[in-house]
Amino acid sequence: MKSEPSRPLCTICDRQHDQPQQTDQLCHYCEVLARAVQEQPEVVKQLWLRYRNEPILPEAVHRSIESEAELPEVLDGKRYRTIDRDRNKWYLSVSEVNGKPVEIFASTAFDRDHELQSRISNLTTITRLISLILRHIFLGEPLTFEKCLKQIQRSSRQKNDLPDMICGVLSRYNTPPE
């Protein structure tokens, strides 16, 4: 008695199918669905909403504040002590609104060290931009090119340090719309 060669299983619905080996290994029905998802995503969204009574991806809840000045004067926060590869102690402070991070600050006890000064201004730039992004993500604060430039400029500690040079170059792109 001859045994029939096993037919491959569809990777989506686990049904056996007769199609020749393909990279996706989909049965005919799942192949049609996959093509629809690829070629007509709006139709798939409508069908999903109709039969599942919910959107495929829920709409983002936009909460907006006008500027960073609207952050409360006092925020909850956590401080983390870390040690870098040069064995310097760093303190990372994360401010929170409703348990979500909205600002991050970094400091070290060695900020009088000349070599660390440039690292600190670079670090300040990074933490200011990360804080701007966090407020955008978690509070819906508008994120603009001007705000990015302002934060980079504020992190500069001296003329021609890296933040000052970055701000100078990027300022060339900050032209009013025509």
Side-chain angles (χ1 to χ4, degrees):
M1 192 159 152
K2 283 186 178 178
S3 65
E4 291 184 28
S6 65
R7 297 183 300 175
L9 293 178
C10 174
T11 56
I12 302 294
C13 67
D14 288 331
R15 288 189 222 155
Q16 289 186 335
H17 59 88
D18 293 323
Q19 293 185 347
Q21 292 284 346
Q22 297 175 354
T23 55
D24 287 344
Q25 293 191 2
L26 300 180
C27 69
H28 171 73
Y29 301 106
C30 290
E31 182 74 37
V32 170
L33 284 172
R35 202 172 306 114
V37 167
Q38 210 170 24
E39 296 171 3
Q40 300 173 318
E42 290 306 314
V43 172
V44 173
K45 284 181 186 177
Q46 289 173 4
L47 287 170
W48 186 274
L49 184 59
R50 180 174 180 179
Y51 291 102
R52 297 290 300 203
N53 199 25
E54 63 184 17
I56 288 177
L57 295 174
E59 294 295 319
V61 176
H62 294 286
R63 292 168 293 179
S64 183
I65 60 174
E66 293 305 313
S67 70
E68 68 184 85
E70 291 188 37
L71 285 175
E73 289 296 317
V74 177
L75 294 172
D76 291 329
K78 294 179 180 152
R79 186 204 61 152
Y80 301 88
R81 186 175 57 205
T82 62
I83 299 176
D84 69 14
R85 65 178 170 256
D86 296 326
R87 310 295 299 154
N88 295 309
K89 284 184 187 172
W90 290 88
Y91 299 93
L92 304 177
S93 300
V94 180
S95 302
E96 300 174 348
V97 171
N98 298 326
K100 303 292 185 191
V102 294
E103 293 178 317
I104 185 166
F105 301 96
S107 61
T108 181
F110 302 102
D111 62 357
R112 288 190 251 302
D113 181 340
H114 179 69
E115 187 177 316
L116 278 178
Q117 283 298 319
S118 65
R119 286 174 59 191
I120 290 171
S121 67
N122 296 345
L123 180 67
T124 302
T125 303
I126 292 167
T127 58
R128 282 181 173 274
L129 293 175
I130 289 171
S131 296
L132 191 63
I133 291 166
L134 291 171
R135 289 191 301 275
H136 174 71
I137 291 169
F138 293 113
L139 299 177
E141 178 180 312
L143 182 59
T144 65
F145 188 68
E146 291 77 18
K147 283 186 179 184
C148 290
L149 285 177
K150 184 177 181 181
Q151 294 304 320
I152 295 168
Q153 178 67 47
R154 285 181 172 177
S155 62
S156 175
R157 290 179 166 247
Q158 56 189 335
K159 183 111 177 94
N160 292 328
D161 63 2
L162 185 59
D164 184 55
M165 292 184 294
I166 289 172
C167 188
V169 168
L170 290 179
S171 292
R172 297 175 185 181
Y173 296 93
N174 193 21
T175 57
E178 295 177 12

